[in-house]
Every structure is written in C-alpha cells, then in structure tokens.
Amino acid sequence: MSVAKKEYKRVTVKSLIEMKKNGEKISMLTAYDYSMAKIVDAANVDVILVGDSASNVMAGHETTLPITLDQMIYHASSVIRAVNRALVVVDIPFGSYQSDPKEALRSAIRIMKESGGHAVKVEGGIEIKESIKRILNAGIPVMGHLGLTPQSIYKFGTYTVRAKEEEEAKKLKEDALMLEKAGCFAIVLEKIPAELAKEVAESVNIPVIGIGAGNGVDGQVLVVHDLVGLTQEFNPRFLRRYMNLFEEMGKAISNYVADVKSRDFPSNEEQY
Ligand code: KIV
C-alpha cells in the first residue's frame, strides 16, 4: 500500500503517533557520533537511536552491559550536534535505572540535560513500571523495549528468538499494554515471531518499531553499522546489508598506503 507522506521539518513524539495513524511506516537507525548522525539525519531517517549497542559497535565489547551513563551522554551529545530533523532517542544504559525509580529519573534527567536528547529508551516490562512512570512524570518521553532485551543477555543465555512459547508471548503482550497505559510514546520489539509482533502492533495505539520482528509492525530499526556493512561477523536473518563499506573503505585505505609508499601522495598539487 502506498501512503501519501506528510513532510516533517522536525520529527517529534507526536509526529510518530500521527505516522502510525496515517499508516506511514517509521524509519529508525542508530548513530553514535557526529559524522554518522549527519549522514543519517540528511537521509531523512525519522528516529535516531543512540543505542547502548555503542558498547559493541564503538567500543568492541561483547555485550551492551559495560557502557556507562557518562559514555552514553558523550555519544548522545555528539549526535545531537549533527541533527536537524530526526527525533533523537537515547538508551539508558544497564545499571542506571534498574535499582529504583529515583535512580532511573536521575539518569534520565542527566541524559536530557547534558546531551540534549529528546527522549530515552529502557528495556523491560512490568518489572520497571514504577521507574518508567517516574521518568514520564518529569515530562521525559519514554520508549519501551521488549522481546530480546540485550541488557538481560546473561538471564536469557543466548541471542535466539524470544517469546516463541505461549507464556512468554502472553507476558510480552501484557507488558506492551502496560507500556502504552503508563504513557510510553513507542515500543521497540526485538527478535520475536512476526505474527506476535503484528498482534502487539494492532493492540496498541502507539507505534511499535521492530528489529527482527517482521513487517506487520509500524516501523523498522537497524544498527547503521550493520546496514552499511561496517560490521562483518554479525549476520542474523533479519539484517539487510545495503552496501559493504568495510570492503570499500579497506580498498580506499590500501590505495592510500600504496600511494604513500610509492611517493605518489602527496603530488605537487597537494602541497604548499
Ligand atoms: O542499542 C540498540 O542499538 C538497540 C536497537 C537494537 C533497538 O536497542
């Protein structure tokens, strides 16, 4: 179905809800630094996620657990300086909101004040309901995240598809309704069966954005480094690579090395 697209000069949480109402799919991508965020924003991506996947992609950690609140604020403020149009959502990292609602609010306030981000994202359902409410009461928009929640990887044990069993699917549906009722403006669903994701998207009025959750949801999110092929080893079924930047950049850099070694670079025109 083709949908007439409304032009948004600046995407807000309200615009996203309007997009869902109008049947316009929402595009979301990660960015962690100024240069990448400039490209992503100029390409009219609706939502930029400063994801805690920066822990894997930028710092080379195996999980998202090690990244700190200070590091997330550094990444988010770099992104914010580049962005003119997209809504910028910042992950609250592991260990900065789980212990109690006051800590959650303090972390969210630091992100909003020190980075200039527009909203925060947290992983989990009923277990963190009070924290979500506390953040929302302070006027900070919250995006939820259900399904495969990487901050709980040691509880799950693997990165395989979540909520295939009846009981987990039931809890996920209840959690999604709770997130909407609490006042979240959107929910990310990661790596769950497409049928279940579609059912959840149809059961709530807020946008549901999927990663590995099929085409029946209101939008899609990917890690930009995966999309452009800068990461090489990560090859889940849901990932579509649009280019192989690792190879392209590698060729350019090898050419530079050869030119330096052969004294071809710099030429007469490239010096003062
Ligand atoms: O941190 C991240 O990049 C995310 C997306 C995978 C949704 O949470």
Side-chain angles (χ1 to χ4, degrees), residues 30 32 49 51-53 91 121 123 145 188 190 211 221 223:
T30 59
Y32 318 108
L49 173 66
D52 57 1
S53 50
D91 265 335
K121 177 163 83 58
E123 296 182 5
H145 184 156
V188 165
E190 181 165 352
I211 174 163
V221 53
V223 168

Side-chain angles (χ1 to χ4, degrees), residues 13-227:
V13 295
K14 282 234 164 76
S15 331
L16 299 182
I17 291 169
E18 202 173 88
M19 285 180 200
K20 170 158 179 150
K21 256 197 202 138
N22 295 340
E24 177 182 341
K25 296 276 185 178
I26 296 162
S27 58
M28 173 160 147
L29 267 187
T30 59
Y32 318 108
D33 65 73
Y34 177 84
S35 308
M36 189 67 94
K38 271 228 161 248
I39 301 171
V40 173
D41 191 50
N44 280 338
V45 167
D46 298 313
V47 184
I48 295 183
L49 173 66
V50 184
D52 57 1
S53 50
S55 180
N56 313 102
V57 177
M58 302 302 281
H61 291 296
E62 205 174 305
T63 72
T64 58
L65 275 65
I67 199 160
T68 64
L69 186 57
D70 283 336
Q71 287 164 344
M72 286 303 297
I73 290 169
Y74 167 78
H75 285 298
S77 50
S78 309
V79 166
I80 279 287
R81 284 191 284 274
V83 169
N84 292 313
R85 178 181 176 275
L87 180 83
V88 178
V89 180
V90 185
D91 265 335
I92 311 188
F94 176 72
S96 309
Y97 63 97
Q98 287 90 348
S99 61
D100 72 74
K102 278 190 190 160
E103 184 204 34
L105 178 58
R106 265 196 305 275
S107 301
I109 288 177
R110 278 203 62 202
I111 288 174
M112 301 299 280
K113 251 188 187 313
E114 296 176 39
S115 77
H118 308 142
V120 297
K121 177 163 83 58
V122 287
E123 296 182 5
I126 192 75
E127 312 77 20
I128 56 161
K129 181 178 167 188
E130 294 312 315
S131 295
I132 290 173
K133 281 185 157 176
R134 187 65 78 104
I135 299 170
L136 284 163
N137 281 342
I140 301 171
V142 178
M143 177 181 267
H145 184 156
L146 301 171
L148 177 63
T149 46
Q151 291 180 8
S152 307
I153 189 58
Y154 289 115
K155 186 172 100 185
F156 298 149
T158 70
Y159 286 97
T160 52
V161 180
R162 303 300 313 171
K164 279 164 91 175
E165 307 302 328
E166 181 82 31
E167 201 180 323
E168 196 180 341
K170 182 169 171 284
K171 180 179 182 311
L172 188 142
K173 288 190 259 185
E174 287 165 1
D175 281 343
L177 291 174
M178 182 283 292
L179 291 176
E180 176 180 44
K181 191 154 177 245
C184 289
F185 70 92
I187 303 170
V188 165
L189 290 184
E190 181 165 352
K191 223 168 174 187
I192 63 168
E195 271 301 307
L196 173 63
K198 184 168 181 281
E199 194 184 328
V200 171
E202 284 169 358
S203 73
V204 294
N205 293 309
I206 55 174
V208 170
I209 310 208
I211 174 163
N215 210 351
V217 289
D218 307 302
Q220 298 294 327
V221 53
L222 284 178
V223 168
V224 69
H225 289 66
D226 298 334
L227 178 153

Side-chain angles (χ1 to χ4, degrees), residues 252-267:
I253 293 167
S254 300
N255 289 341
Y256 161 75
V257 171
D259 289 351
V260 169
K261 299 281 180 194
S262 69
R263 296 178 165 75
D264 180 76
F265 177 79
S267 66

